[in-house]
Amino acid sequence: MLNRQVEKDKSCFICTNNIKDIDYKDIDVLKRFTSAYGKIMPKKRSGACTKHQHFVIRAIKNSRIMGFMPFVVE
């Protein structure tokens, strides 16, 4: 018997919900891609495709700079 990990079919949240524009002001969507500590989740854990993960990371960083999201959670 082979001990291989079976890959689960993860579909991208953004692709399935037809979200056209990932905006830094849309905090509800961006919170899905951060952990409880406020860290950005990796693509493997968030389930986002490569294209959308890049846009999400940029939006979260812009949101932090503009003051909509905290850098650290207290």
Side-chain angles (χ1 to χ4, degrees), residues 9-26:
D9 241 357
K10 283 189 177 180
S11 57
C12 178
F13 173 77
I14 298 164
C15 292
T16 54
N17 291 332
N18 293 328
I19 299 173
K20 299 294 179 196
D21 187 31
I22 302 168
D23 194 21
Y24 70 93
K25 294 176 277 188
D26 195 5

Side-chain angles (χ1 to χ4, degrees), residues 19-70:
I19 299 173
K20 299 294 179 196
D21 187 31
I22 302 168
D23 194 21
Y24 70 93
K25 294 176 277 188
D26 195 5
I27 304 303
D28 296 329
V29 173
L30 296 179
K31 279 187 180 178
R32 281 185 73 92
F33 297 97
T34 58
S35 69
Y37 296 108
K39 290 185 167 186
I40 300 171
M41 286 195 287
K43 184 179 80 154
K44 187 180 266 188
R45 184 143 181 250
S46 69
C49 62
T50 306
K51 174 183 164 184
H52 288 128
Q53 181 73 14
H54 176 74
F55 292 138
V56 165
I57 289 172
R58 280 275 122 229
I60 290 173
K61 289 180 180 181
N62 286 339
S63 181
R64 286 176 174 169
I65 290 170
M66 292 297 201
F68 292 115
M69 290 181 75

